[in-house]
Amino acid sequence: MNTLRELLQDYLAMRRALGFKLRTEGTGLISFVAFSEERQADHISIALALSWATQPASVQAYRSAQRLSYVRGFARYCSAFDARTEVPPLEFIALPASTSKPLLLHGRGH
């Protein structure tokens, strides 16, 4: 089985071959894989993705949502190679109109 780091290298190479620059997303995903390795995670879980996306506690909601979207795309790719992979749903972090904190939505079959 491939490690998350190996899968990330393949994922970024494939996306770049398709013409995507992936400057911010690539850097973000490298950070996510390092975060995963620090926690000795060998697959993507929703809890792991949320934990990374909402770090640090002061991060703005739009940034958390953006970071989670990076992981979502990578997780979809990883799910083809590892059935344990959990893909964070689109609705999981919403941006409330009146606050800068992310709103975690639950109960949609998660």
Side-chain angles (χ1 to χ4, degrees):
M1 182 179 338
N2 292 334
T3 66
L4 284 177
R5 187 163 298 278
E6 292 168 333
L7 288 169
L8 177 60
Q9 290 171 352
D10 293 345
Y11 174 73
L12 293 176
M14 177 197 64
R15 297 278 317 274
R16 287 182 174 131
L18 293 171
F20 294 95
K21 301 283 185 222
L22 303 177
R23 289 184 184 106
T24 304
E25 183 177 353
T27 302
L29 287 172
I30 290 168
S31 171
F32 170 71
V33 168
F35 180 86
S36 302
E37 290 170 343
E38 289 170 6
R39 283 147 186 82
Q40 300 179 341
D42 61 355
H43 67 282
I44 299 172
S45 69
I46 291 172
L48 180 70
L50 278 174
S51 181
W52 176 76
T54 57
Q55 297 280 329
S58 61
V59 70
Q60 294 182 350
Y62 79 91
R63 185 73 178 123
S64 291
Q66 183 180 47
R67 290 173 65 152
L68 191 60
S69 75
Y70 301 160
V71 176
R72 187 177 300 111
F74 179 48
R76 281 193 304 261
Y77 176 82
C78 290
S79 68
F81 303 96
D82 188 343
R84 301 172 300 164
T85 301
E86 298 175 359
V87 179
L90 287 172
E91 308 85 14
F92 215 76
I93 291 184
L95 300 177
S98 62
T99 181
S100 64
K101 293 186 178 187
L103 174 64
L104 301 180
L105 304 177
H106 302 281
R108 290 207 156 134
H110 311 293

